[in-house]
Amino acid sequence: MTLVFGYNATGKSALLRMLPLLRDTLKSESAGINMGLEAGRGGSFPHLLSRLTSSPTLAVELEEGDVRARYELRYLSDQRRQALVAASRTEAGVTRTLTWTTEGTKYELTEPGHKPRTMSLDVKGLTLNEQGGGPTPLSWSPPGAQDLADVQWLDAVRARVQRNERYDGPDDRHLKYDGSNAPLLLARARLDDRESFGVTRRFYKEHLHQGLGVEDHGDQFQVVVSPPRGAPDLRLNDLGGLNGDAPISPPSSFVVNLVDTGEGLGQVLPIVLALARAATNEGPRLLVLEQPELHLHPARQEALTRWICELVGKNRGPKVVLETHAENVLLSVLLAVLEGVMTPDDVIIYWVHQDETGESFAERVTLDELARPQGLWPPEVFHEGSGSRGRSTSCVIRADETMRVTLLGSCFRSRNWSSPRWLISCSSP
């Protein structure tokens, strides 16, 4: 699991969206980054370039295992296209370099122990293949291409479920970036009795306390929710308000169209379904999720994060790259590490920030054996500038058989007191 934190407009989303951009680039028929699909947001190559420099060149570096590659792309404004001007690949400690001669598709290859030679390259996206290179032509695929080609990206702004959905459209492997085909993929998973349907329903029941179902209406269907059996009765008082003496028990068939509920239940559906499909090998296993906890109550944010941690912590679990502003998400991850759901090595945190010039940096933060952040992590990030007299931060406590406790964050510290005050609550004896 990779967590990405930072203030607004520091570059977090740009960092995450590079993954679906690279996915789209692997399908490209022309050189350079493919900006023509959803991740490009209607932009072009110049929109990728830093505003802090006038350089028309963008460098992309990819690494997998002991293979590292670097690509330098330049925008040719007179031709309104990208050109690969240089590329290098290091494998088993040996670096080979390609340099564009500026003559069509001609590149010069330099490598240790060999004379430079000129070749013609077919460049599609970041995939390089030598044309007419004899029995062993040069062929470079981007490191990590297999994972990048199957990225599942979900944007922070997701589509609202429709009241009546139709059984049309392809049975895609990927959810759309806005999750708009999530209801269709859920309904088809039900018809085909796929495991992902049961996993999704189980999450709604256990963590959102709602039954989830699909009701057919001819060639259309509706996604519905219902209170699970055993849900508390509503009681009306004499004035017609709640908490009176007259119980109002909904019938067992009581259902509500998902579109008529609060935004949280609908907005989280694509997130849960994508994770369920990854966990059951029905969909991509590298997920890029922007603010998956949006519109959920803090307690439900914790439940969602805990569930993600449980999936990631399993043997050969999915890989999740997650951007968030939520303190609950971070603390839930720390607690999962403390409880052994995941190991510290399963988690990488990036703190994204800008300097005074506007340049962005992604600082890597790791966790020690007690789930304490190691590295450049600002301790007051969730409360800086709040203006409150006291500062409140959740804490995680681990008690072992000798009743030692490890405090990962201060619960409450007043600026007017000379010593901290701790507020500790226990969920079990």
Side-chain angles (χ1 to χ4, degrees):
M1 174 185 286
T2 300
L3 299 174
V4 182
F5 287 88
Y7 294 116
N8 294 109
T10 55
K12 302 184 305 302
S13 296
L15 180 62
L16 261 70
R17 289 174 193 152
M18 195 63 193
L19 291 172
L21 278 175
L22 289 172
R23 176 199 63 193
D24 299 341
T25 295
L26 291 173
K27 307 171 186 176
S28 179
E29 292 296 317
S30 57
I33 304 298
N34 185 356
M35 295 288 291
L37 299 178
E38 290 85 358
R41 294 198 162 190
S44 58
F45 183 79
H47 292 101
L48 291 175
L49 299 175
S50 171
R51 305 300 193 273
L52 302 178
T53 174
S54 59
S55 172
T57 301
L58 173 72
V60 178
E61 294 188 12
L62 299 172
E63 183 174 342
E64 182 183 36
D66 66 346
V67 180
R68 184 171 64 254
R70 176 183 172 90
Y71 307 87
E72 294 184 20
L73 300 164
R74 180 174 300 165
Y75 186 66
L76 306 179
S77 57
D78 57 331
Q79 302 177 38
R80 301 179 64 84
R81 69 177 181 90
Q82 303 173 51
L84 178 71
V85 296
S88 64
R89 186 178 180 93
T90 301
E91 191 169 1
V94 177
T95 300
R96 295 187 292 171
T97 303
L98 287 164
T99 306
W100 187 38
T101 65
T102 71
E103 297 180 10
T105 62
K106 300 294 184 181
Y107 289 80
E108 183 178 85
L109 173 67
T110 57
E111 53 187 327
H114 296 80
K115 292 182 179 180
R117 69 182 180 94
T118 301
M119 64 178 66
S120 180
L121 282 184
D122 178 30
V123 182
K124 293 183 178 180
L126 299 178
T127 302
L128 318 179
N129 288 295
E130 183 178 2
Q131 296 177 321
T136 57
L138 180 143
S139 181
W140 289 357
S141 295
Q146 184 173 354
D147 285 336
L148 290 171
D150 205 25
V151 165
Q152 172 64 70
W153 167 52
L154 285 170
D155 198 354
V157 180
R158 297 181 280 277
R160 179 174 290 144
V161 175
Q162 299 301 303
R163 183 173 300 279
N164 296 295
E165 300 276 358
R166 302 186 66 88
Y167 281 107
D168 55 14
D171 190 11
D172 289 329
R173 175 173 172 81
H174 294 78
L175 277 80
K176 294 181 180 179
Y177 75 102
D178 61 355
S180 56
N181 63 338
L184 176 60
L185 297 183
L186 179 73
R188 286 191 167 151
R190 177 189 66 110
L191 292 176
D192 298 339
D193 196 24
R194 298 176 191 168
E195 190 178 355
S196 61
F197 180 70
V199 173
T200 304
R201 292 190 71 194
R202 190 158 55 249
F203 176 85
Y204 269 73
K205 180 179 179 180
E206 295 178 358
H207 301 295
L208 300 181
H209 308 304
Q210 293 288 329
L212 178 71
V214 175
E215 291 187 346
D216 288 323
H217 299 274
D219 63 346
Q220 298 182 337
F221 66 91
Q222 295 180 351
V223 181
V224 298
V225 292
S226 60
R229 293 184 182 275
D233 295 335
L234 297 177
R235 293 180 179 272
L236 299 179
N237 59 32
D238 293 337
L239 298 178
L242 294 178
N243 301 320
D245 295 326
I248 304 297
S249 300
S252 59
S253 60
F254 174 68
V255 296
V256 177
N257 193 304
L258 190 59
V259 76
D260 291 325
T261 68
E263 292 297 330
L265 294 182
Q267 288 288 294
V268 79
L269 177 61
I271 300 294
V272 175
L273 182 59
L275 287 160
R277 286 161 58 89
T280 57
N281 294 311
E282 297 175 21
R285 294 177 53 79
L286 174 55
L287 287 79
V288 179
L289 309 177
E290 295 188 39
Q291 301 186 56
E293 78 289 346
L294 283 183
H295 303 286
L296 289 177
H297 184 278
R300 304 295 178 252
Q301 294 178 7
E302 295 170 6
L304 174 64
T305 307
R306 174 72 177 212
W307 185 62
I308 295 174
C309 291
E310 291 172 353
L311 296 179
V312 170
K314 291 181 179 179
N315 185 33
R316 299 183 60 80
K319 301 175 183 177
V320 177
V321 183
L322 188 156
E323 176 210 356
T324 181
H325 292 285
E327 181 182 17
N328 280 343
V329 171
L330 174 63
L331 293 174
S332 297
V333 171
L334 299 184
L335 184 58
V337 172
L338 273 177
E339 294 179 349
V341 176
M342 297 189 299
T343 70
D345 292 337
D346 290 330
V347 181
I348 297 175
I349 303 172
Y350 284 99
W351 170 248
V352 181
H353 63 101
Q354 290 181 334
D355 63 14
E356 61 277 2
T357 70
E359 184 174 0
S360 294
F361 300 87
E363 306 286 352
R364 179 168 174 163
V365 179
T366 58
L367 301 178
D368 67 8
E369 69 280 2
L370 296 179
R372 293 174 298 197
Q374 306 295 300
L376 185 62
W377 178 259
E380 299 294 331
V381 59
F382 294 110
H383 302 283
E384 184 175 353
S386 65
S388 60
R389 294 180 61 84
R391 293 194 174 186
S392 173
T393 305
S394 299
C395 78
V396 180
I397 301 176
R398 186 179 73 173
D400 60 18
E401 64 277 4
T402 61
M403 295 306 293
R404 293 181 303 165
V405 295
T406 301
L407 302 177
L408 297 186
S410 88
C411 292
F412 187 87
R413 181 191 294 268
S414 171
R415 298 178 183 175
N416 297 327
W417 296 340
S418 59
S419 60
R421 171 172 292 187
W422 300 96
L423 175 65
I424 300 176
S425 62
C426 299
S427 58
S428 61

